[in-house]
């Protein structure tokens, strides 16, 4: 194809080149997500069967003793499978193995010089790669999140899905947004370091640190949390994300940390087998600051939107560095 034809059809040929250069990384991504999807499918059928077998599909309220007992039995049978929520750690790995080598390998080996002299300027070259790979990652992650939502549905109906470490990290749109963000971060780090192995290692550390910081420090305040007193009989079903909690004394004031520790020491000293009943009988209640489970999609949308904007900024920074580089 002549240079004139390439300029007349700006992106013609680049999808094929992108596929040829990154097919192993994409195949690895599809292989990992495909293998995990098979595990989710097989185990999900068993989990849903157990959920129905214990009659939980007919339990509208776990405050009913029979339903609470059934939920405990269900958790006992499926406890090992719930460890699959560690899948939420995949985005940093995607950044490492797809984003990290994207520019680092080209700059380290010098093959970028050949690419930029074949009628495709560096802007078109990088934009096409980022767009195609980013869309592929987002599509695969969203499909996987949908399957995970089905797999986790029985756990969601019992305990909610907003608490970090549970379904929130994989369901919805945050998983895809994190994957795209880690990919863009890896691309920028590769453009800066220009060494493949170093870029992959730095991407894994940096993306994990950023995403963990978002969970710990940003997400609790995306929407102002709610503070309230726990009902006198306690909660039979915890579906909220508790940020802070404490005791309210008989006089109606919140106990300090030292005062709470004194109450708990007293309970241990008298050998109370039912501390909640003792606290209620002596006029103590519990307060919590929390995010309700009903805010799942609001928090997901804000967090995912923030990550996507950061990914665009990182991609723009990578493009800026590449445009400034001399061949």
């Amino acid at each position: 194809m002549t240079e004139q034809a390439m300029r007349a059809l700006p992106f013609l040929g680049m999808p094929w080149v992108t596929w040829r250069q990154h097919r192993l990384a994409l195949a690895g991504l599809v292989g990992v997500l495909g293998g995990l999807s098979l595990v989710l499918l097989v185990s999900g059928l068993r989990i849903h069967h157990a959920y129905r077998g214990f009659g939980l599909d007919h339990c509208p309220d776990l405050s009913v003793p029979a339903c609470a007992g059934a939920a405990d039995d269900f958790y006992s049978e499926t406890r090992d499978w719930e460890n699959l929520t560690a899948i939420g750690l995949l985005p940093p790995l995607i950044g490492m193995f797809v984003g990290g080598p994207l520019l680092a390998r080209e700059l380290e080996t010098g093959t970028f010089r050949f690419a930029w002299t074949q009628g495709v300027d560096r802007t078109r070259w990088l934009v096409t790669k980022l767009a195609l790979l980013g869309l592929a990652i987002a599509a695969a992650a969203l499909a996987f999140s949908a399957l995970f939502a089905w797999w986790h549905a029985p756990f969601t109906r019992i305990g909610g899905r907003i608490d970090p470490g549970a379904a929130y990290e994989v369901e919805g749109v945050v998983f895809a947004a994190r994957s795209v963000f880690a990919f863009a971060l890896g691309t920028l780090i590769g453009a800066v370091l220009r060494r493949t192995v170093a870029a992959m290692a730095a991407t894994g550390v940096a993306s994990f640190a950023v995403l963990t910081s978002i969970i710990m420090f940003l997400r609790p305040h995306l929407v102002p949390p709610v503070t309230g007193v726990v009902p006198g009989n306690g909660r039979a079903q915890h579906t909220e994300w508790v940020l802070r909690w404490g005791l309210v004394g008989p006089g109606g004031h919140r106990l300090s940390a030292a005062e709470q520790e004194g109450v708990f020491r007293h309970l241990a000293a008298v050998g109370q087998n039912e501390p909640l009943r003792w606290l209620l009988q002596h006029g103590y209640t519990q307060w919590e600051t929390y995010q309700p489970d009903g805010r799942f999609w609001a928090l997901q949308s804000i967090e995912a939107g923030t990550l996507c904007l950061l990914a665009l900024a990182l991609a723009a920074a990578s493009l800026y560095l590449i445009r400034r580089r001399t061949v």
Side-chain angles (χ1 to χ4, degrees), residues 247 249-250 255-270 278-279 284:
L247 293 178
L255 272 61
S256 65
E259 290 173 326
Q260 288 183 177
E261 185 177 351
V263 172
F264 294 137
R265 279 203 304 266
H266 175 74
L267 287 172
V270 300
W278 185 94
L279 289 171
Y284 290 92

Side-chain angles (χ1 to χ4, degrees), residues 100-133:
L102 180 66
L103 291 180
R105 183 178 292 120
E106 297 270 9
L107 296 173
E108 184 176 18
T109 60
T111 54
F112 68 94
R113 297 186 179 90
F114 175 79
W116 295 350
T117 57
Q118 299 303 306
V120 179
D121 62 76
R122 61 188 74 183
T123 300
R124 192 188 315 160
W125 175 79
L126 181 56
V127 168
T128 305
K129 285 192 170 192
L130 289 175
L132 293 177
L133 293 175

Side-chain angles (χ1 to χ4, degrees), residues 24-273:
L24 292 180
L26 290 175
L29 173 64
V30 172
V32 170
L33 292 181
L36 289 172
S37 296
L38 183 59
V39 173
L40 291 180
L41 181 61
V42 174
S43 61
L45 292 173
R46 297 178 181 177
I47 290 170
H48 282 258
H49 177 74
Y51 183 84
R52 293 189 299 269
F54 286 112
L56 288 168
D57 52 336
H58 299 297
C59 281
D61 189 351
L62 292 183
S63 62
V64 178
C67 292
D72 291 338
D73 293 338
F74 170 75
Y75 273 125
S76 297
E77 183 166 320
T78 60
R79 184 181 295 112
D80 293 339
W81 289 114
E82 200 172 12
N83 292 330
L84 283 173
T85 52
I87 289 170
L89 298 175
L90 278 176
L93 297 178
I94 293 174
M96 284 180 61
F97 290 98
V98 184
L102 180 66
L103 291 180
R105 183 178 292 120
E106 297 270 9
L107 296 173
E108 184 176 18
T109 60
T111 54
F112 68 94
R113 297 186 179 90
F114 175 79
W116 295 350
T117 57
Q118 299 303 306
V120 179
D121 62 76
R122 61 188 74 183
T123 300
R124 192 188 315 160
W125 175 79
L126 181 56
V127 168
T128 305
K129 285 192 170 192
L130 289 175
L132 293 177
L133 293 175
L135 287 173
I137 291 171
L142 286 172
F144 184 77
S145 294
L147 177 61
F148 186 90
W150 166 80
W151 178 87
H152 198 268
F155 300 110
T156 297
R157 297 188 190 109
I158 296 174
R161 56 182 178 178
I162 197 171
D163 192 5
Y168 185 97
E169 314 304 334
V170 189
E171 283 191 42
V173 293
V174 159
F175 183 74
R178 286 179 180 174
S179 300
V180 173
F181 166 79
F183 164 67
L185 179 61
T187 301
L188 177 60
I189 291 176
V192 173
L193 298 182
R194 305 178 186 181
R195 295 291 184 272
T196 304
V197 175
M200 292 174 67
T203 298
V205 173
S207 57
F208 182 80
V210 171
L211 295 177
T212 302
S213 298
I214 289 175
I215 294 172
M216 295 178 62
F217 303 113
L218 178 62
R219 188 192 298 167
H221 308 289
L222 292 176
V223 179
V226 176
T227 299
V229 176
V230 177
N233 59 351
R235 283 200 177 91
Q237 185 176 9
H238 291 269
T239 59
E240 71 278 352
W241 174 21
V242 178
L243 305 174
R244 296 184 301 278
W245 69 275
L247 293 178
V248 178
H253 70 285
R254 291 186 182 181
L255 272 61
S256 65
E259 290 173 326
Q260 288 183 177
E261 185 177 351
V263 172
F264 294 137
R265 279 203 304 266
H266 175 74
L267 287 172
V270 300
Q272 269 294 328
N273 295 325

